[in-house]
Amino acid sequence: EKGYETGEHAPGLKLGGCGAYKAAHHIIKTHTRMWHSYNTTWRREQRGMVGISLTSGWGEPVDPHSQTDRDAAERYIQFHLGWFANPIYRGDYPEVMKNYVGKKSAQQGLGTSRLPTFSVQEKTYIKGTSDFLGIGHFTTRYVLQKSFPFLQVSSYHTDPDLAELVDPNWPAPGPKWLYSVPWGFRRLLNFIKTQYGNPLIYVTENGMSETVQCPQLCDEWRIQYLKGYINEILKALNDGVNVKGYTAWSLLDKFEWNKGFSERFGLYHIDFKNKNKPRYPKASVDYYKKIISANGFPNPREVMS
């Protein structure tokens, strides 16, 4: 979406309301060919696994008693995670995506939907092409219905007819978009369990960045973030979700999309101004080492049920 619709990220293309959908369509079909190639050529010999890693926030209805808000939150998840996961696990794009993008496309006077379609053969070929699901997750939004006025040029952002809100009390020590909302992760993992047949899950990205460098490397907020989110994964495991592994994002400060070196996700601070790029452990390193060595929280009383 940022690469092929808004142009914020490379390759910087602004292809209106269809660029993101076309790019995603190609990603899904390319992933499928890769999976089948491995399955037929290498699996028997190597006994490896091929999966896909998808990043998604969690959408929580502003009013859980409102069917309208619950529907909007469902659209939020389907337009993020379901966009890719639904074809791979269920054979096609989510019905709500097809309905909403199709309706908006018709209002624009387009003969076909801006959301591409899979043939019957492609649906069969795509379904089931993931031995595990990688999940990147960082934050949550409250969601409510918002009807956009008729737009001659609709976009991925306006298609689902929803608005996103945050609670100002949520901790947000880093960039504007990243609020610490651990309970959303458990809900997302349970959604995956219910929607996609409880697949094998590896958490491939989860972490907190800071935009203002702490000179003492005292990233207490990252420690609290990791503690909260890992604890919610433990709760999801108790719910029966099939989570097999966890990766904190990230080991080192690095180049972060169009933010460059200004957003620092690393457990280790990198001095980018020094040509040797020395690395310094932040406080979170010691905490995360203890979690790894204990294969869980060192003090069981830290874990809240």
Side-chain angles (χ1 to χ4, degrees):
E1 182 264 336
K2 286 183 169 63
Y4 292 88
E5 190 154 311
T6 66
E8 293 173 61
H9 291 174
L13 301 180
K14 299 179 181 179
L15 302 177
C18 62
Y21 296 132
K22 285 183 178 179
H25 201 67
H26 289 304
I27 288 170
I28 293 165
K29 293 207 289 185
T30 305
H31 159 80
T32 300
R33 288 192 65 176
M34 177 62 223
W35 186 91
H36 280 285
S37 174
Y38 186 86
N39 196 50
T40 56
T41 308
W42 299 106
R43 187 185 299 276
R44 184 176 295 178
E45 178 184 340
Q46 296 182 350
R47 299 181 183 179
M49 294 195 300
V50 177
I52 193 166
S53 183
L54 306 175
T55 299
S56 179
W58 173 250
E60 183 76 8
V62 168
D63 179 0
H65 302 294
S66 163
Q67 186 64 48
T68 304
D69 284 1
R70 292 203 302 269
D71 290 344
E74 170 79 12
R75 289 198 301 279
Y76 176 92
I77 298 297
Q78 296 295 358
F79 267 79
H80 286 82
L81 179 66
W83 185 7
F84 296 87
N86 217 74
I88 289 170
Y89 284 96
R90 305 179 77 170
D92 198 5
Y93 291 121
E95 286 299 317
V96 71
M97 275 193 84
K98 293 194 290 184
N99 292 340
Y100 269 71
V101 181
K103 178 179 67 177
K104 296 289 181 75
S105 301
Q107 288 173 349
Q108 292 173 257
L110 301 176
T112 58
S113 175
R114 286 178 285 104
L115 182 69
T117 57
F118 296 113
S119 68
V120 174
Q121 291 84 357
E122 284 174 334
K123 291 176 185 178
T124 303
Y125 191 63
I126 292 167
K127 186 177 180 181
T129 56
S130 201
D131 304 319
F132 65 88
L133 179 60
I135 285 292
H137 175 74
F138 294 92
T139 193
T140 284
R141 293 288 185 268
Y142 280 120
V143 181
L144 74 164
Q145 164 81 23
K146 180 183 179 180
S147 296
F148 289 88
F150 170 66
L151 300 169
Q152 200 58 44
V153 181
S154 290
S155 72
Y156 169 73
H157 274 294
T158 59
D159 282 337
D161 279 349
L162 56 83
E164 302 173 26
L165 304 174
V166 297
D167 185 333
N169 294 316
W170 289 342
K176 294 177 181 177
W177 63 272
L178 212 175
Y179 293 79
S180 180
V181 195
W183 52 261
F185 202 6
R186 181 185 185 183
R187 298 186 186 195
L188 177 65
L189 291 169
N190 272 282
F191 176 89
I192 292 167
K193 172 191 170 187
T194 303
Q195 287 277 313
Y196 309 126
N198 202 16
L200 176 64
I201 295 173
Y202 288 92
V203 177
T204 45
E205 288 187 46
N206 175 243
M208 168 69 79
S209 66
E210 73 260 24
T211 50
V212 178
Q213 181 187 336
C214 179
Q216 287 78 38
L217 305 175
C218 48
D219 57 344
E220 175 62 28
W221 61 85
R222 181 173 287 108
I223 291 173
Q224 293 305 317
Y225 181 98
L226 291 171
K227 181 188 292 186
Y229 276 76
I230 292 171
N231 194 22
E232 292 299 316
I233 297 171
L234 287 171
K235 294 177 188 178
L237 281 166
N238 288 334
D239 296 334
V241 180
N242 192 13
V243 182
K244 191 71 171 178
Y246 174 84
T247 307
W249 189 260
S250 58
L251 178 66
L252 309 171
D253 290 337
K254 77 269 182 260
F255 191 84
E256 181 64 25
W257 299 98
N258 57 336
K259 303 298 182 184
F261 300 115
S262 65
E263 274 189 27
R264 295 173 175 266
F265 277 90
L267 299 174
Y268 283 83
H269 171 79
I270 307 297
D271 183 357
F272 292 112
K273 295 178 181 177
N274 186 313
K275 70 174 184 177
N276 294 321
K277 308 292 187 293
R279 307 168 180 184
Y280 304 99
K282 302 174 187 177
S284 54
V285 167
D286 185 56
Y287 181 74
Y288 195 52
K289 280 182 177 178
K290 291 176 181 175
I291 290 179
I292 292 169
S293 62
N295 194 28
F297 290 103
N299 180 356
R301 286 178 296 179
E302 287 187 88
V303 182
M304 299 295 181
S305 58

